[in-house]
Amino acid sequence: MDRVTQVTEWLDVVNGHDEVIGQATREDAYARGLTVRVINAFLINRAGQLWIPRRTAHKRLFPGCLDMSVGGHVEHGETYEQAFRRETQEELNLNVNDLPWQQIAKLGPRDGLSAFMHVYELRRDDPPAFNPDDFSSAQWLTPTELVHRIEQGDPAKGDLKRLVQLCYGVGHA
């Protein structure tokens, strides 16, 4: 198999009701503005702080930006929960079976977000051994501190501020 075939990511394309209406490669979906599914998760400690990583400088989208603790696309034929489990393992080297977790939201474009998404929360006090291909650093921030940093100009992934506002009641949701 050539390298291009190995890295082609197929996503389900969904309608305004989050129903699958077709498939597209990730690149094609973005180029055509199609609606897809994603998962996001926040690692939260006992103090109520979120573990917020910074994306590596070589990322194609949002390089060097603040990010959700875990985020990724739901691949073709995958459920939201399967994607959450896979992405948490890939990005944070954590098995969700080893941690308390819960789904905290189901959101979408009507909420001012870029895609349909399920949002999860993982409870853990220790920082994870994150994947250095995904993140360059990370820090614990309260939701209010995070929104303030973004409002002060710290670059962040597109949906991060809105997601924190919706899930944690911070600022002007």
Side-chain angles (χ1 to χ4, degrees):
M1 215 186 305
D2 66 23
R3 180 151 170 77
V4 173
T5 305
Q6 290 177 349
V7 297
T8 300
E9 187 177 7
W10 283 91
L11 308 177
D12 287 331
V13 176
V14 295
N15 64 16
H17 302 287
D18 196 17
E19 299 164 335
V20 177
I21 57 170
Q23 288 77 42
T25 65
R26 178 178 173 171
E27 290 74 20
D28 190 41
Y30 277 91
R32 295 173 45 207
L34 302 173
T35 303
V36 296
R37 293 172 165 168
V38 302
I39 62 92
N40 286 297
F42 292 102
L43 196 62
I44 188 167
N45 65 20
R46 267 183 234 152
Q49 297 170 309
L50 306 174
W51 184 84
I52 301 297
R54 188 170 300 278
R55 294 166 65 84
T56 57
H58 70 267
K59 288 284 191 183
R60 194 166 19 118
L61 298 174
F62 303 106
C65 290
L66 299 175
D67 202 349
M68 297 77 169
S69 304
V70 177
H73 291 89
V74 177
E75 295 181 355
H76 168 60
E78 197 174 37
T79 67
Y80 283 101
E81 186 177 323
Q82 288 168 333
F84 162 64
R85 290 174 177 279
R86 176 180 50 77
E87 291 287 352
T88 301
Q89 184 67 53
E90 288 175 10
E91 294 184 353
L92 303 186
N93 296 304
L94 293 175
N95 182 333
V96 301
N97 293 335
D98 299 335
L99 296 169
W101 65 272
Q102 64 181 340
Q103 181 178 317
I104 60 171
K106 288 183 184 180
L107 302 166
R110 68 188 164 277
D111 300 300
L113 298 166
S114 64
F116 280 97
M117 65 181 69
H118 287 195
V119 185
Y120 300 86
E121 191 176 76
L122 297 142
R123 298 221 163 248
R124 181 181 161 116
D125 288 329
D126 298 324
F130 62 83
N131 184 339
D133 288 335
D134 289 317
F135 307 126
S136 58
S137 63
Q139 64 187 122
W140 293 100
L141 297 168
T142 66
T144 301
E145 289 170 338
L146 175 58
V147 169
H148 181 73
R149 293 262 308 261
I150 295 168
E151 288 175 345
Q152 294 302 309
D154 201 344
K157 198 170 179 183
D159 287 336
L160 181 58
K161 179 182 170 186
R162 179 78 177 141
L163 200 53
V164 170
Q165 290 172 328
L166 290 168
C167 293
Y168 297 100
V170 176
H172 311 294

